[in-house]
Amino acid sequence: MLYNIAWIDNEYLVRQIVLNLCPLIIDSRKKENIVQSTLSTFDDRDFYIMEVKYTHVRLYKYNVPYFVEVSKNTEFIMEFAGDMEGYDTPARVTVASDFANRTYPLFITARQQKGVFSWQLPMLVQTKDTLEQFTNISRTLCPHNNIFSESQDTCEVTNLNTPIVHLTSSSPDPIKVTIVVETVQDFYIKMNTVTNLTSTPSQPKYYFYPFDQGPNEIVDLNSQSIKKKFICNKELDVQERITLDRYLLRSNLKTDYGWLSKPKSVIVMIESDDDICAVVSIQNFSCPVFDNERDILYDGYYLTMTRRGGITLTQDTFPLGFYIVFIVKTMDDDCTGAIAANQTLPKMAQYFGWEDNISVDTNDGRVKRFSFKIIPTISYQEYFIAAGAALGFFLSFYVAFVIAVICQRQRCAREQLIAPHVPYDEHTTAVRRRRVLNDASSSTHTVTDHGDGSSSSDTESDLSTIDSVRLCVANLSRCRPRVLSARSKMYLWNVLTVAVFYTLPVIQLVVTYQRLLNQSGNQDLCYFNFLCAHPLLALSDFNHVYSNLGYVLLGALFLAQVWRRQRAHERRTPRQKELGIPQHFGLLYAMGIALVSEGLLSAAYHVCPNSMNFQFDTSFMYVTSVLCMVRLYQARHADVNARAHATFGVLALIIFIGLVGVLNANFYFWVAFTALHLVTCLVMTFQIYYLGRFRLDGGVVSRAVRSLTSRPLAAVTPTHCGRCVLLLLANIANWAIAAYGLSQHSRDFASHLLLVLMSNLFLYTLFYIVMKLLHRETIAWYSWIFITLTYGVWFSSSYFYLDLSTNWALTPAQSRQNNRVCSLLQLYDSHDAWHFMSATAMFFSFNMYLTIDDNLSNVPRTDIMVF
């Protein structure tokens, strides 16, 4: 519209005319400025002339590009309208201009009846060292009027979705602008349908997924439109009536199979073929829709991704449905964790007045391609089937235990019916034991048997007078049984204390993490396998928490086995208690408690797994491995074994080293740990080879030099060849592990520390078994079964442990690239399988340590060798 007002001699009147003729301009101050800028005197007369150029064109068409020129004297208000069917989907405004600059930007305002949105061109984004600009911008307007709105069943005729775009600029020169408004295609997402899209930092896109998609899980826009016409009593043609009848028939045939089979959630699976960093936001069905990096923090859930992403969403959180917003970030730092080499450069530039010289890059070529699909999650019935299968698997161990107990009782009953031909002569056995013991010892110390079966000494054995060639268990088990039992029980009380004081703060912390995750919506807080994270109640990842059930159940079953064995041992006579390997039930109880605690802490860790609480998942694995090694060593070294407080002091040091490694595992730390690892291996090698009589002091070097000088051949020739070979192999293995860790020096130090401890446990167990065979000690048939199952299940489970679906040592976006769908019973993934198999392997390991010396239960300790 062009209004020419001339020969008016009253300035006030001119102002009032302009204000009345421009009702579509909103800001009164802007109206005043227009009047001020266009009033001028005409020659020397007291008349005013004003010319206002204000363009307002109604009913611009959808999907048609328009080319306009905008300046400080020319503004455009463009109203776009189309067919009523087009209002079912939102409008998308695209504006491009190569002439708008930072000094005179172009301002775009899109107005609807219930919302106003504004942008500017060029779009400027400040990065760490540059200022990036985008010369085109595209935004999807809020879909106020659509088939899933609150007024979808009303007959109210509204134009809520009719956009009015206002283009303004302060540029004195005309700015050429291209603008197009179009309807969004495939805005409503169908279940199990792949949707492809492209996006840039200046062109975010979003789509809508409604939970109520009809009986066939599709969004039928045509049927919805015909239904609305029918409700509004509008005339329908024959084809429309047929379509409506089919729609109503399908709706009536919809079958509800009950709450057990009704899906309550869906999984959004997102893929991309490039490494450009992006943010995916999930927002509720409301306006405005936040589609820029700054505003997505205020609503819904959001996550970073590069090539893969996913999230599980429940209908309880989004009753009607949710928007899926795709935003491409201007930098990749949030996804790669990279830090600019010189962060102080922009500040120095500003200090010296160089801010205008900062390079401005055009980044319109940063295009990212997405493809996503929404699939239903499993039903509650499938939840129960998968959860019940895991529970039944572990309860089968209880059934096997009950059957074994019944069979053993029946065998004992049959043996009691058959009287022995030669009665057991306690006196002969005692005399024989005393004679062999005195012969094996070069000491004048005499063991006097008391009625309670205890020795005369409560102190440790004097190893300085014992020949290492003929060292037997009797030489190292002179303490009274009461003293050994008290020492062993200290392991139980220590591990109980540590478990209680360690578990309670952990539970408090992870509950706080879960609440923070729900409140903030930041899905980067927790390293879930988002493609296989099934929520239930307050847990976002129920299956990974539940799969730790095996540790608790099998740990409790092992405690029951130890209790039963202790009861059987207490029924033995005092003389019988002096036969076989000395029993230390407190340490066995501690192993069972450690297994239960491992399950509880691992479950707590998986409530919200991340780098800050990963030690919760591994701490009791350290405890378990050390206790198992102490158990093996204690079997042959009852008197010289480590005390409970010393053992847990070493464990505290190990956990501290693991904590430092998680927080700051740099190269220098890896070098220091590798040196500590190898020195410890060397010291333990000498301790095991010399049966605990190796003294590490200042004179060790001088003693070694004297031995090499006086008897060089004897000094380098091993006395115990078998033991030497096994220890040499163990050292080679430790050197290989140390070299691998130092070469990789990854951030995941906790896993490397666990590898060191578990590998040495396996090696020491293998050393113990081989030494038994070299000393011609037999192993019970059921112990061989446990040995085979232990190593078989452990090596099989290592495959699932290495098959990572998450990795907290990477950034959240990089970790999502490993996410996979559930592969076991539609509820569990490879890490859940690791939980199942590792719990089973640890249970078999404990039974192996419990029964490996059963064939020595009636052998005098003078005939059992130390190694």
Side-chain angles (χ1 to χ4, degrees):
M1 299 179 183
L2 180 63
Y3 299 97
N4 290 306
I5 304 172
W7 306 104
I8 300 176
D9 59 357
N10 190 322
E11 181 179 353
Y12 174 78
L13 181 60
V14 173
R15 296 179 187 275
Q16 293 300 317
I17 293 175
V18 171
L19 296 179
N20 291 330
L21 288 177
C22 301
L24 293 177
I25 302 179
I26 300 174
D27 195 344
S28 62
R29 290 180 298 177
K30 183 180 291 187
K31 292 185 287 186
E32 189 71 17
N33 292 335
I34 292 177
V35 174
Q36 290 289 348
S37 64
T38 55
L39 288 175
S40 61
T41 60
F42 187 77
D43 294 336
D44 56 350
R45 291 178 293 180
D46 294 332
F47 294 99
Y48 292 88
I49 182 170
M50 185 190 74
E51 181 176 298
V52 177
K53 291 186 178 180
Y54 195 89
T55 304
H56 179 203
V57 183
R58 300 187 62 85
L59 298 179
Y60 280 74
K61 296 182 179 180
Y62 281 163
N63 304 318
V64 176
Y66 293 94
F67 305 94
V68 298
E69 293 184 355
V70 181
S71 65
K72 67 177 183 180
N73 297 323
T74 305
E75 300 178 356
F76 278 83
I77 295 181
M78 312 174 70
E79 182 177 1
F80 290 82
D83 297 334
M84 292 299 298
E85 287 76 8
Y87 296 153
D88 289 333
T89 58
R92 184 170 179 83
V93 180
T94 302
V95 181
S97 176
D98 293 331
F99 299 92
N101 51 59
R102 297 168 58 192
T103 305
Y104 298 108
L106 173 69
F107 296 98
I108 305 104
T109 301
R111 177 168 60 88
Q112 294 174 294
Q113 183 172 341
K114 294 184 179 180
V116 177
F117 311 92
S118 61
W119 316 283
Q120 76 174 46
L121 277 182
M123 189 181 86
L124 304 177
V125 178
Q126 179 66 56
T127 62
K128 292 182 178 179
D129 52 359
T130 60
L131 186 65
E132 298 181 354
Q133 71 177 18
F134 300 88
T135 59
N136 62 76
I137 193 169
S138 181
R139 290 289 192 274
T140 302
L141 303 183
C142 197
H144 289 287
N145 186 23
N146 57 71
I147 61 176
F148 294 98
S149 63
E150 297 178 356
S151 60
Q152 61 173 321
D153 293 334
T154 64
C155 298
E156 180 182 0
V157 179
T158 59
N159 292 332
L160 299 179
N161 206 32
T162 301
I164 299 176
V165 182
H166 188 186
L167 304 177
T168 62
S169 177
S170 299
S171 174
D173 300 324
I175 298 176
K176 296 181 180 180
V177 181
T178 302
I179 180 173
V180 60
V181 177
E182 54 189 352
T183 56
V184 179
Q185 301 296 324
D186 299 327
F187 179 73
Y188 299 102
I189 304 303
K190 302 177 182 180
M191 182 77 72
N192 296 315
T193 301
V194 177
T195 302
N196 299 307
L197 70 143
T198 59
S199 180
T200 66
S202 62
Q203 297 179 342
K205 293 183 180 180
Y206 65 86
Y207 299 83
F208 179 68
Y209 173 80
F211 274 105
D212 185 11
Q213 294 201 7
N216 294 334
E217 297 182 345
I218 60 173
V219 181
D220 193 348
L221 297 178
N222 186 34
S223 298
Q224 292 284 353
S225 301
I226 296 175
K227 175 186 173 183
K228 191 167 186 177
K229 291 177 64 176
F230 175 76
I231 294 176
C232 297
N233 296 322
K234 294 183 178 180
E235 185 178 356
L236 304 178
D237 57 24
V238 177
Q239 187 62 35
E240 289 177 340
R241 288 184 177 277
I242 295 175
T243 303
L244 180 63
D245 293 339
R246 291 177 179 175
Y247 174 80
L248 296 176
L249 179 62
R250 291 198 305 267
S251 301
N252 294 330
L253 291 178
K254 184 178 180 180
T255 304
D256 188 2
Y257 295 98
W259 68 277
L260 284 177
S261 59
K262 182 180 179 181
K264 290 292 184 180
S265 57
V266 296
I267 301 178
V268 181
M269 304 173 60
I270 311 168
E271 299 284 343
S272 180
D273 57 357
D274 54 64
D275 293 321
I276 299 176
C277 186
V279 179
V280 178
S281 175
I282 307 296
Q283 302 177 25
N284 204 356
F285 180 68
S286 62
C287 286
V289 179
F290 302 109
D291 58 354
N292 60 68
E293 295 184 35
R294 297 183 300 273
D295 296 339
I296 59 173
L297 307 178
Y298 301 124
D299 187 36
Y301 303 149
Y302 61 93
L303 56 93
T304 58
M305 64 161 288
T306 53
R307 291 183 176 270
R308 180 173 297 174
I311 188 173
T312 301
L313 303 169
T314 62
Q315 192 171 8
D316 296 336
T317 307
F318 305 97
L320 296 178
F322 51 85
Y323 293 115
I324 312 172
V325 186
F326 298 89
I327 303 172
V328 179
K329 298 183 73 68
T330 56
M331 297 184 300
D332 295 330
D333 291 356
D334 291 340
C335 294
T336 61
I339 300 177
N342 189 357
Q343 298 181 352
T344 62
L345 182 58
K347 295 182 179 179
M348 294 177 60
Q350 294 176 5
Y351 178 80
F352 289 104
W354 299 340
E355 61 272 7
D356 291 337
N357 295 330
I358 298 177
S359 61
V360 178
D361 299 329
T362 301
N363 209 16
D364 292 338
R366 191 175 170 87
V367 180
K368 187 173 182 63
R369 297 171 179 83
F370 298 91
S371 65
F372 70 96
K373 180 174 65 173
I374 297 179
I375 62 174
T377 60
I378 62 177
S379 63
Y380 288 141
Q381 182 179 8
E382 292 166 320
Y383 265 78
F384 288 139
I385 292 175
L391 180 62
F393 172 73
F394 292 113
L395 290 181
S396 64
F397 288 88
Y398 282 80
V399 175
F401 173 69
V402 173
I403 294 175
V405 170
I406 294 175
C407 294
Q408 186 175 7
R409 287 183 177 179
Q410 292 179 352
R411 189 190 65 180
C412 293
R414 289 194 302 267
E415 291 178 354
Q416 290 178 357
L417 295 177
I418 303 175
H421 297 285
V422 180
Y424 178 73
D425 189 354
E426 294 184 356
H427 178 72
T428 303
T429 305
V431 172
R432 174 178 173 271
R433 174 183 177 274
R434 186 181 297 111
R435 184 178 64 253
V436 175
L437 176 59
N438 293 334
D439 292 340
S441 175
S442 60
S443 173
T444 58
H445 177 78
T446 305
V447 179
T448 305
D449 294 322
H450 298 272
D452 58 354
S454 62
S455 63
S456 61
S457 175
D458 291 342
T459 61
E460 295 181 1
S461 302
D462 184 9
L463 297 179
S464 61
T465 59
I466 299 176
D467 184 10
S468 62
V469 180
R470 188 66 182 122
L471 186 63
C472 61
V473 172
N475 300 129
L476 301 182
S477 58
R478 296 181 179 180
C479 290
R480 292 181 180 178
R482 176 178 55 82
V483 176
L484 293 179
S485 178
R487 292 178 182 174
S488 183
K489 286 181 180 178
M490 288 302 299
Y491 280 94
L492 172 61
W493 299 122
N494 275 271
V495 76
L496 278 174
T497 304
V498 171
V500 171
F501 281 92
Y502 199 86
T503 304
L504 294 180
V506 166
I507 294 176
Q508 180 182 0
L509 178 63
V510 296
V511 168
T512 304
Y513 266 118
Q514 182 67 62
R515 291 177 178 176
L516 181 62
L517 177 67
N518 296 336
Q519 293 173 3
S520 67
N522 184 4
Q523 301 300 302
D524 290 349
L525 290 176
C526 306
Y527 284 71
F528 297 133
N529 178 12
F530 289 91
L531 300 182
C532 187
H534 296 282
L536 184 66
L537 300 178
L539 298 175
S540 300
D541 192 6
F542 163 76
N543 50 298
H544 286 90
V545 175
Y546 178 79
S547 61
N548 291 279
L549 180 69
Y551 298 105
V552 179
L553 293 180
L554 296 183
L557 179 58
F558 181 75
L559 291 175
Q561 291 179 266
V562 175
W563 176 81
R564 183 175 177 275
R565 181 170 287 247
Q566 183 181 13
R567 291 288 302 273
H569 180 75
E570 291 174 352
R571 290 194 295 267
R572 303 186 72 179
T573 63
R575 296 297 181 184
Q576 290 176 333
K577 292 180 180 180
E578 292 186 356
L579 302 177
I581 297 295
Q583 299 297 317
H584 302 277
F585 295 102
L587 181 56
L588 294 172
Y589 281 122
M591 292 165 56
I593 295 297
L595 184 56
V596 174
S597 302
E598 168 61 26
L600 296 177
L601 288 174
S602 179
Y605 162 73
H606 282 89
V607 171
C608 182
N610 55 55
S611 59
M612 292 296 100
N613 56 12
F614 180 71
Q615 64 268 26
F616 302 159
D617 191 32
T618 56
S619 293
F620 268 86
M621 291 293 288
Y622 305 155
V623 173
T624 302
S625 59
V626 171
L627 289 180
C628 290
M629 285 189 280
V630 172
R631 159 61 183 165
L632 282 178
Y633 190 79
Q634 196 177 50
R636 307 281 169 156
H637 310 78
D639 291 354
V640 298
N641 199 20
R643 301 294 191 270
H645 63 274
T647 302
F648 280 91
V650 174
L651 283 169
L653 177 61
I654 292 174
I655 294 175
F656 173 75
I657 294 174
L659 174 63
V660 175
V662 170
L663 295 178
N664 187 22
N666 54 32
F667 179 74
Y668 301 102
F669 172 82
W670 277 94
V671 171
F673 173 76
T674 302
L676 178 63
H677 174 203
L678 297 179
V679 170
T680 303
C681 290
L682 185 63
V683 173
M684 294 304 298
T685 298
F686 284 115
Q687 288 289 340
I688 295 174
Y689 183 80
Y690 291 107
L691 302 176
R693 292 184 292 172
F694 173 75
R695 296 195 310 273
L696 182 62
D697 51 23
V700 63
V701 178
S702 60
R703 291 195 300 270
V705 172
R706 286 198 303 267
S707 298
L708 288 172
T709 304
S710 60
R711 301 171 58 190
L713 184 60
V716 298
T717 302
T719 308
H720 312 282
C721 295
R723 191 181 307 166
C724 178
V725 171
L726 293 176
L727 291 174
L728 181 61
L729 294 177
N731 275 271
I732 292 175
N734 276 275
W735 277 85
I737 295 174
Y740 173 78
L742 185 61
S743 62
Q744 298 293 323
H745 59 272
S746 66
R747 187 186 171 195
D748 190 3
F749 173 78
S751 296
H752 176 77
L753 183 58
L754 182 62
L755 174 64
V756 171
L757 292 175
M758 296 300 293
S759 299
N760 281 277
L761 174 60
F762 292 154
L763 292 173
Y764 188 43
T765 304
L766 185 62
F767 168 82
Y768 192 88
I769 295 172
V770 173
M771 292 302 293
K772 281 179 66 69
L773 298 178
L774 291 178
H775 286 81
R776 290 180 171 82
E777 294 180 2
T778 60
I779 300 177
W781 62 270
Y782 48 85
S783 294
W784 278 116
I785 294 178
F786 287 132
I787 293 172
T788 304
L789 291 175
T790 296
Y791 282 93
V793 177
W794 269 123
F795 287 115
S796 300
S797 62
S798 62
Y799 167 78
F800 296 100
Y801 180 78
L802 298 175
D803 187 24
L804 298 177
S805 56
T806 61
N807 189 351
W808 60 263
L810 305 175
T811 63
Q814 292 170 340
S815 175
R816 284 189 180 88
Q817 298 186 31
N818 299 324
N819 289 176
R820 300 185 185 90
V821 297
C822 300
S823 56
L824 180 62
L825 297 177
Q826 303 183 68
L827 185 66
Y828 308 114
D829 62 358
S830 59
H831 195 73
D832 292 314
W834 154 255
H835 286 164
F836 296 145
M837 298 189 68
S838 62
T840 306
M842 293 179 72
F843 178 72
F844 288 148
S845 301
F846 287 3
N847 279 274
M848 175 184 65
Y849 300 135
L850 183 66
T851 62
I852 193 170
D853 292 318
D854 277 2
N855 280 4
L856 303 177
S857 59
N858 293 321
V859 177
R861 293 175 184 172
T862 54
D863 295 339
I864 304 175
M865 301 303 297
V866 174
F867 47 79

